[in-house]
């Protein structure tokens, strides 16, 4: 009948380093098929995995084998006959669980096959007693007993060899598991973390490519904003220079301006008083408009005087002759202000006369 595949899964295959017994060596570059086979002729179960033309795993399942899950996606078992420890890394936790359950099932089947074989052997040898190691020791020194299927010495030897093989296999398995599981977690974690890192890097690359236009747009906006701020700074610096030059006005002009403002405020107060006392609102309104017009004229003249004073100050800074002309201009301005003050006095008198009426 030959061997037939029973169950198959894909996994990354590793073997323990025979030199250090601590590090895992990848047996395949990528995930390959790992299958359970049953040999009907020999009544044995095997785990087989082939990479190309080479058998990477060829492990016969025995009742003493144990499959250990060392992480969520990694498991291992020791094969004393092959003198190695195999490790499998699965893509999902569910696949690891399926493999572990199949391993336990076929391990139990192998145990049943062994028990049936032993029962058959006992039935064929009813006069043979192998119940204890002491009996075996005694039987070694006693003459051989004949049985139906051969000499009793041969049967005793085969039985003891099987027990010794199982004991040796169990001891080697424990040793390999203790040595191999030390670094298995780190190696398995490193393998799958590299896969996760690769996936994250690919996703990050796509995200960076998709947002590069947005970054370019933001950079252009920032550059435009920077240019605009630079222009504003230049304008502010220019305005600061003009204001600094304007702060060099004369104290006399400042005093004249203060006097004019005081006269204007006083005139406003007089107008308010007249409006409160004069019953004829139309005449008072007309007089107020005339007074406002005069005030506006005075403000215009005042602005002209301000310009003249500034011109005079500039001339003073250039030369002594210009300073003399500026002083004359200032004198004229003062005389004009006196005239304006005289006009304001006349206006006050006229307003007083109107109030008397």
């Amino acid at each position: 009948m030959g061997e037939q595949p029973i169950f198959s899964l894909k996994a990354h295959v590793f073997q323990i380093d025979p030199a250090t017994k601590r590090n895992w060596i990848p047996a395949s570059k990528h995930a390959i098929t790992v299958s359970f086979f049953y040999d009907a002729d020999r009544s044995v179960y095997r785990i087989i995995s082939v990479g190309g033309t080479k058998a990477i795993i060829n492990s016969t399942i025995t009742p003493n084998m144990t499959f250990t899950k060392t992480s969520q996606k990694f498991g291992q078992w020791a094969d004393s006959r092959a003198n190695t420890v195999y490790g499998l890394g699965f893509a999902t936790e569910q696949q690891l669980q399926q493999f572990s359950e199949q391993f336990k099932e076929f391990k139990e089947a192998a145990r049943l096959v062994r028990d049936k074989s032993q029962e058959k052997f006992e039935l064929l040898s009813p006069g043979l007693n192998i119940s204890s190691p002491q009996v075996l020791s005694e039987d070694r020194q006693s003459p051989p007993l004949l049985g139906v299927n051969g000499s009793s010495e041969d049967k005793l030897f085969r039985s003891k060899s099987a027990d010794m093989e199982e004991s040796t296999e169990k001891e080697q398995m424990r040793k390999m598991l203790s040595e191999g599981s030390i670094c298995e977690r780190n190696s398995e974690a490193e393998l799958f973390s590299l896969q996760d890192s690769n996936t994250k890097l690919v996703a990050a690359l796509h995200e960076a490519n998709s947002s590069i236009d947005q970054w370019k747009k933001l950079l252009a906006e920032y550059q435009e904003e920077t240019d605009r701020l630079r222009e504003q700074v230049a304008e502010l610096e220019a305005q600061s220079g003009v204001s600094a030059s304007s702060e060099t006005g004369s104290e006399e002009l400042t005093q004249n301006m203060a006097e004019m403002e005081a006269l204007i405020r006083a005139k406003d107060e007089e107008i308010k008083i007249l409006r409160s006392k004069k019953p004829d609102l139309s005449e008072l309104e007309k007089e107020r408009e005339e007074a406002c017009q005069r005030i506006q004229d005075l403000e215009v003249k005042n602005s002209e005087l301000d310009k003249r004073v500034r011109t005079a100050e500039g001339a003073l800074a250039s030369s002594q002759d210009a300073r003399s002309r500026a002083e004359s201009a200032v004198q004229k301005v003062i005389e004009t202000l006196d005239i304006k003050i005289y006009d304001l006095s006349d206006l006050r008198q006229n307003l007083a006369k109107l109030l008397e009426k």
Side-chain angles (χ1 to χ4, degrees), residues 328-342:
S328 298
V330 171
Q331 186 64 30
K332 291 180 181 180
V333 170
I334 294 172
E335 291 176 357
T336 305
L337 289 174
D338 291 337
I339 294 172
K340 290 180 180 180
I341 293 171
Y342 181 77

Side-chain angles (χ1 to χ4, degrees), residues 50-104:
V50 179
T53 59
K54 179 182 178 182
I56 299 176
I57 301 178
N58 187 5
S59 178
T60 301
I61 300 176
T62 65
N64 297 323
M65 283 186 177
T66 301
F67 182 79
T68 305
K69 293 188 289 185
T70 57
S71 69
Q72 294 181 351
K73 299 179 182 180
F74 195 88
Q76 66 182 37
W77 79 96
D79 188 341
S80 60
R81 295 181 180 179
N83 193 26
T84 188
V85 178
Y86 295 104
L88 298 180
F90 297 92
T92 64
E93 186 177 355
Q94 182 180 4
Q95 292 180 353
L96 174 62
Q97 182 63 28
Q98 291 176 353
F99 188 90
S100 177
E101 292 174 356
Q102 293 294 328
F103 193 99
K104 291 179 181 178

Side-chain angles (χ1 to χ4, degrees), residues 213-266:
D213 294 335
Q214 182 179 0
W215 284 109
K216 287 181 179 180
K217 184 178 179 180
L218 290 175
L219 179 60
E221 292 178 356
Y222 290 153
Q223 289 177 348
E224 292 177 358
E225 182 69 14
T226 301
D227 295 337
R228 187 179 64 81
L229 291 174
R230 287 178 179 174
E231 292 177 357
Q232 290 182 357
V233 169
E235 292 176 358
L236 291 173
E237 289 178 350
Q239 293 177 1
S240 176
V242 173
S243 61
S245 62
S246 63
E247 290 178 358
T248 61
S250 65
E251 295 180 358
E252 184 176 358
L253 178 61
T254 302
Q255 293 177 357
N256 291 333
M257 292 291 293
E259 291 177 358
M260 289 296 296
E261 291 176 356
L263 288 174
I264 291 171
R265 286 195 298 270

Side-chain angles (χ1 to χ4, degrees), residues 199-214:
T199 304
K200 292 179 181 178
L201 287 173
V202 172
L205 180 60
H206 289 306
E207 183 179 358
N209 290 333
S210 63
S211 62
I212 188 170
D213 294 335
Q214 182 179 0

Side-chain angles (χ1 to χ4, degrees), residues 260-277:
M260 289 296 296
E261 291 176 356
L263 288 174
I264 291 171
R265 286 195 298 270
K267 188 56 62 179
D268 289 337
E269 293 294 332
E270 290 179 358
I271 291 172
K272 289 179 181 179
I273 293 172
L274 290 174
R275 289 182 63 182
S276 63
K277 291 183 179 180

Side-chain angles (χ1 to χ4, degrees), residues 265-292 294-295 344-357:
R265 286 195 298 270
K267 188 56 62 179
D268 289 337
E269 293 294 332
E270 290 179 358
I271 291 172
K272 289 179 181 179
I273 293 172
L274 290 174
R275 289 182 63 182
S276 63
K277 291 183 179 180
K278 185 68 176 179
D280 192 354
L281 297 178
S282 60
E283 292 181 359
L284 288 175
E285 184 67 22
K286 184 178 180 180
E287 291 176 356
R288 187 188 67 81
E289 290 177 356
E290 291 177 355
C292 291
R294 290 183 181 180
I295 291 172
L344 288 173
S345 299
D346 291 342
L347 180 60
R348 183 183 296 175
Q349 292 177 0
N350 291 333
L351 289 172
K353 290 179 181 179
L354 288 174
L355 291 173
E356 290 177 358
K357 292 178 180 180

